[in-house]
């Protein structure tokens, strides 16, 4: 899986880096020997130096590995801590052009929590962020930011030219790169600029909308490490399961008619969802079994009714035959055709 891949990749890249460093070291040593031998007047050593030079020219040098731990020096800091309550959302709803985006959204976020916001596309995750940052107004409901909570912003006017260049260098914007227009940057470069702005804001409440999009693996890992060590509060929209697992300690699932909170990372959320599915399946099976049992009992009852009717019919038939038989016997007794019975009757 991805976690295993990351571990193996790190081992592989460490080997690559060490191999590169050892090769560079040996190349430099051999080059010094060549220079030493070829600069002498000794013909024999000069010849040896030339031979070594030919071998050195044929040597296949590795490219420098691009991987490096902490490629970007992302480190989020806060200017001051917030209160315990960071964000309270109560019965929030939003309609756009009479189309309901979401409703009954209730959630609480507390100091130093790292909360992942997930949900189906189009359910309004970004819309919720826009309401929190006051870019949009809710249709109904309310939200409240806690005491001393500040959402990051970047004001270039407060920085000197040197500070701006230094900050850009952290994100690998060097040389002529710093003069590029934002519109000319690639997706990955734009993402790095956005993260840099957040880093410089020293905000104690970060709102991140799909922060890992366009970032390479090294940048993602650096971002994850910085958020894990961040002393403020994080609220992040992401579809990256590995990121949510590694960074978040609370998951909120936004749906059209509600927001559900799970106190754990993405794996914990999946486990609970699976448990709910099993419970619903068992409940469904129990209902099905109950329906089947009722049908079975009804069938047994109906069969008993039929049997009772059959018994009554048989008993009635038997009684009729017995009565008929008794009548015939009495008639014959009276007619004197059954002497034995007549004597018995006389005796009685």
């Amino acid at each position: 899986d991805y976690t295993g891949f990351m571990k193996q990749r790190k081992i592989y890249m460490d080997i690559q880096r060490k191999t590169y460093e050892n090769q560079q070291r040996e190349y430099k040593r051999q080059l010094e020997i060549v220079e030493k031998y070829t600069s002498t007047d000794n013909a024999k050593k000069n010849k040896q130096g030339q031979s070594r030079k030919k071998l050195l020219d044929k040597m296949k040098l590795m490219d420098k590995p691009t991987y490096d731990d902490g490629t970007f020096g992302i480190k989020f800091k806060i200017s001051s801590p917030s209160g315990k309550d960071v964000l309270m959302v109560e019965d929030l709803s939003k309609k756009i052009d009479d189309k309901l985006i979401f409703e009954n959204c209730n959630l609480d976020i507390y100091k130093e929590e790292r909360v992942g916001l997930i949900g189906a596309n189009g359910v309004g995750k970004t819309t919720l962020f826009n309401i929190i940052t006051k870019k949009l107004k809710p249709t109904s409901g309310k939200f409240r930011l806690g005491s001393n909570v500040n959402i990051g912003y970047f004001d270039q006017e407060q920085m000197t030219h040197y500070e701006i260049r230094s900050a850009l260098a952290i994100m690998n914007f060097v040389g002529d790169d710093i003069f590029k227009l934002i519109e000319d940057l690639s997706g990955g470069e734009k993402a790095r600029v956005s993260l840099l702005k957040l880093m410089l804001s020293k905000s104690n409440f970060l709102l991140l909308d799909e922060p890992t999009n366009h970032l390479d693996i090294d940048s993602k890992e650096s971002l994850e490490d910085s958020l894990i060590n961040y002393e403020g509060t994080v609220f992040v929209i992401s579809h990256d399961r590995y990121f949510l697992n590694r960074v978040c300690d609370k998951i909120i699932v936004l749906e059209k008619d509600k927001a559900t909170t799970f106190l754990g990372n993405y794996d914990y959320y999946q486990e609970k969802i699976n448990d709910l599915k099993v419970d619903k399946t068992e409940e469904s099976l129990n209902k099905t079994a109950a329906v089947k049992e009722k049908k079975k009992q009804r069938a047994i009852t109906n069969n008993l009714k039929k049997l009772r009717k059959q018994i009554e019919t048989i008993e009635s038939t038997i009684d009729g035959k017995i009565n008929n038989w008794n009548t015939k016997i009495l008639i014959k007794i009276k007619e004197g055709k059954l002497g034995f019975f007549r004597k018995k009757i006389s005796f009685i």
Side-chain angles (χ1 to χ4, degrees):
D1 58 12
Y2 189 78
T3 304
F5 156 72
M6 287 297 291
K7 288 178 181 176
Q8 291 179 43
R9 178 178 180 270
K10 189 170 184 179
I11 293 169
Y12 171 76
M13 294 309 296
D14 283 343
I15 292 170
Q16 290 290 95
R17 179 175 52 78
K18 287 176 183 176
T19 304
Y20 171 79
E21 289 172 355
N22 290 337
Q23 189 186 57
Q24 288 292 314
R25 196 179 298 111
E26 178 60 18
Y27 181 82
K28 187 178 179 182
R29 188 180 75 84
Q30 291 291 341
L31 193 61
E32 287 174 353
I33 292 172
V34 168
E35 289 175 354
K36 182 180 177 182
Y37 281 15
T38 53
S39 62
T40 185
D41 293 333
N42 187 308
K44 186 178 178 180
K45 285 193 174 183
N46 198 288
K47 190 176 180 180
Q48 287 177 346
Q50 294 295 337
S51 297
R52 279 178 179 262
K53 179 70 169 61
K54 288 178 182 179
L55 291 173
L56 207 57
D57 290 341
K58 290 178 182 180
M59 186 177 177
K60 214 171 182 181
L61 294 174
M62 285 178 62
D63 292 329
K64 185 177 181 180
T66 55
Y67 173 85
D68 185 20
D69 287 333
T71 301
F72 303 114
I74 304 173
K75 191 171 183 181
F76 296 109
K77 293 182 179 180
I78 61 173
S79 56
S80 60
S82 67
K84 182 181 177 181
D85 296 337
V86 174
L87 175 66
M88 309 289 117
V89 175
E90 185 178 345
D91 295 329
L92 209 65
S93 71
K94 181 62 182 175
K95 286 183 179 178
I96 297 178
D97 298 330
D98 294 327
K99 180 185 176 183
L100 179 66
I101 306 301
F102 61 79
E103 62 180 348
N104 302 323
C105 178
N106 293 276
L107 60 92
D108 299 321
I109 295 178
Y110 301 102
K111 181 182 178 182
E112 295 182 10
E113 284 188 328
R114 295 184 292 274
V115 184
L117 181 64
I118 64 174
N121 290 332
V123 79
K125 300 184 292 294
T126 300
T127 301
L128 176 61
F129 270 30
N130 286 335
I131 291 172
I132 295 168
T133 55
K134 298 181 180 179
K135 293 177 182 177
L136 291 175
K137 289 184 178 180
T139 303
S140 63
K142 59 185 179 180
F143 74 94
R144 177 177 62 84
L145 292 174
S147 63
N148 201 35
V149 172
N150 55 80
I151 298 171
Y153 68 96
F154 174 61
D155 188 353
Q156 187 170 314
E157 296 300 320
Q158 294 180 3
M159 299 180 66
T160 66
H161 188 70
Y162 173 75
E163 288 172 329
I164 293 170
R165 280 180 173 268
S166 299
L168 288 169
I170 291 172
M171 292 294 184
N172 275 6
F173 290 106
V174 294
D176 292 338
D177 288 344
I178 65 172
F179 300 111
K180 288 182 180 178
L181 298 175
I182 293 293
E183 63 189 26
D184 295 330
L185 298 178
S186 67
E189 288 172 331
K190 288 178 181 177
R192 277 156 37 206
V193 169
S194 296
L195 290 173
L196 176 60
K197 288 166 67 177
L198 278 175
M199 187 179 77
L200 294 170
S201 71
K202 294 186 179 179
S203 158
N204 56 27
F205 185 33
L206 299 182
L207 295 181
L208 307 173
D209 191 345
E210 298 288 357
T212 58
N213 282 1
H214 307 295
L215 292 181
D216 57 39
I217 292 174
D218 300 328
S219 302
K220 283 182 185 180
E221 194 168 8
S222 182
L223 173 62
E224 289 161 6
D225 290 339
S226 64
L227 291 176
I228 289 169
N229 296 313
Y230 176 56
E231 294 178 352
T233 308
V234 178
F235 195 17
V236 55
I237 299 170
S238 180
H239 288 91
D240 189 331
R241 295 182 180 185
Y242 181 82
F243 175 85
L244 290 169
N245 256 341
R246 188 157 183 251
V247 172
C248 297
D249 50 30
K250 181 193 275 190
I251 298 292
I252 294 176
V253 184
L254 183 63
E255 298 175 86
K256 192 171 184 178
D257 59 346
K258 63 182 177 180
T260 309
T261 299
F262 295 85
L263 299 177
N265 63 8
Y266 190 84
D267 278 349
Y268 176 83
Y269 152 73
Q270 283 285 359
E271 184 182 326
K272 287 298 176 184
I273 287 296
N274 290 335
D275 288 345
L276 288 172
K277 286 179 181 177
V278 169
D279 290 343
K280 286 181 180 178
T281 302
E282 287 179 352
E283 185 181 346
S284 178
L285 289 172
N286 290 337
K287 285 182 179 178
T288 304
V291 170
K292 285 182 178 179
E293 185 62 28
K294 282 184 180 179
K295 285 182 178 179
K296 186 178 177 181
Q297 291 296 330
R298 198 180 298 120
I300 291 170
T301 303
N302 291 335
N303 286 335
L304 284 172
K305 285 181 180 178
K306 287 179 182 178
L307 286 171
R308 287 193 187 102
K309 284 183 179 180
Q310 287 175 0
I311 290 168
E312 287 173 2
T313 302
I314 291 167
E315 286 177 343
S316 178
T317 302
I318 291 170
D319 288 342
K321 287 183 178 181
I322 289 172
N323 289 335
N324 186 40
W325 182 72
N326 287 338
T327 302
K328 286 179 179 179
I329 289 174
L330 289 170
I331 290 169
K332 287 186 179 183
I333 290 171
K334 286 179 181 180
E335 291 175 350
K337 293 180 179 179
L338 291 173
F340 172 78
F341 285 104
R342 186 176 61 196
K343 288 178 181 178
K344 286 282 185 183
I345 291 169
S346 299
F347 174 77
I348 292 167

